[in-house]
Amino acid sequence: MLKYFDAIRTLISIAIALVIAFLIIALISEQPLETISIFLLGPLSTTAQIGNVIEMAIPLMFTGLSVVLLFRSGLFNLGAEGLFYISGVVAAIIAIYASMNGFIHPVVAILAGSTVGALLSAIPGIMKAKWNAEVLVTSLMFNSILSGIGLYILNYHLRDAAAFANVSYKFQETARLANLIPGTRIHTGLILVLVCIVATHYFMYHTRWGYELRMTGSNRAFAEFSGIKTGRVIITVHLLAGFLAGMGGSVEVLGMYSRFQWSDLPGYGLDGALVALLAKNNPLSVVGAALFLAYIRIGADQMSIMSDVPAELISIIQAIIILLISAEQFLKMWKNRQLLKEAEKLG
């Protein structure tokens, strides 16, 4: 039972958050049972709604996977948000101005965005490895910087004046990702992110570099004493995490849009931290965590359209989940009792 403590703790946190949300719905809605039904079952009502859940989960998987690598190495870095955005800008530039065939074009655009994400992510990594700069501060500052640079490029180099909106010129059709399921907007980015998840799991648990990453995250001083070059590990992790976040931004832009139209940070990078928390920093669990978060958000959207409860309720659910998962004392007494029982069994 003890080895499943983290999973049980997460499930109880989610259950408490949902119960509180249902109580709020019962207090403010004139038809609470119908509203709760819409929230819980709305995302499964049609093929299109199921597709919406999967579409929303794809970028969450990319950024969640990126943050998992950082968190597992002991780095509280929230820079995936800015990297996701600026990489989308880079992919849009390739999609608009480069001329290639239908297979090569999206590959080049995604690789370009991913590479930019990796290189930019390396900057706070080098600052941490060489000068022990706090990555939380540097990554958040980088989000603002990259947002400003991306918005400048959109306004002064990509903006289509004929569109009467702050959007780019249209992408060439050869750059768009192919659709996987008719009747939905699920694209080939789903296959790509699942491959990345499996590859990241293998990297973390079946390679020497993954072992060094986990050791550095557990205890950097001990890792250095054991001969691990933790500075190199930190920089490498930032490169990999930035590559994944950049790939996520590129895939989202090319898979879901015909123009670049983000006039602000889209929020997926910060959501990646919540996905990583729900997944307990396990790459394979990112799939379930991202689908859950996407599911309740689509349910909240349906609820706001078809009932008298606003979609902002989802913010309450997310906040409660974060508070309970991050609270070290939550269910600690139960864990201690389980430890005592196991100790008694061992004599």
Side-chain angles (χ1 to χ4, degrees), residues 25 62 78 86 129 159 163 205 209 220 258 260 270 327 337:
I25 291 173
F62 273 115
L78 298 177
I86 197 67
R159 185 172 180 269
Y205 296 103
W209 302 282
R220 184 178 178 183
S258 59
F260 186 86
L270 297 179
R337 284 198 297 269

Side-chain angles (χ1 to χ4, degrees), residues 193-210:
V193 72
L194 293 177
V195 170
C196 288
I197 287 171
V198 173
T200 302
H201 177 81
Y202 181 84
F203 168 80
M204 284 184 62
Y205 296 103
H206 298 281
T207 68
R208 176 174 60 85
W209 302 282

Side-chain angles (χ1 to χ4, degrees), residues 58-59 61-67 69-70 79-92 106-122 143 146 177 192-193 196 237-255 260 262 266 268-269:
I58 292 173
M61 289 182 205
F62 273 115
T63 54
L65 193 60
S66 171
V67 176
L69 281 171
L70 293 164
E81 179 71 11
L83 299 172
F84 190 91
Y85 180 83
I86 197 67
S87 298
V89 174
V90 172
V107 172
V108 171
I110 291 171
L111 286 176
S114 304
T115 302
V116 168
L119 294 176
L120 292 173
S121 178
N143 286 344
L146 296 177
L177 292 177
L192 185 57
V193 72
C196 288
V237 168
H238 274 83
L239 285 168
L240 293 174
F243 189 86
L244 289 169
M247 184 178 292
S250 305
V251 165
E252 180 69 3
V253 166
L254 300 179
F260 186 86
W262 293 336
Y268 288 115

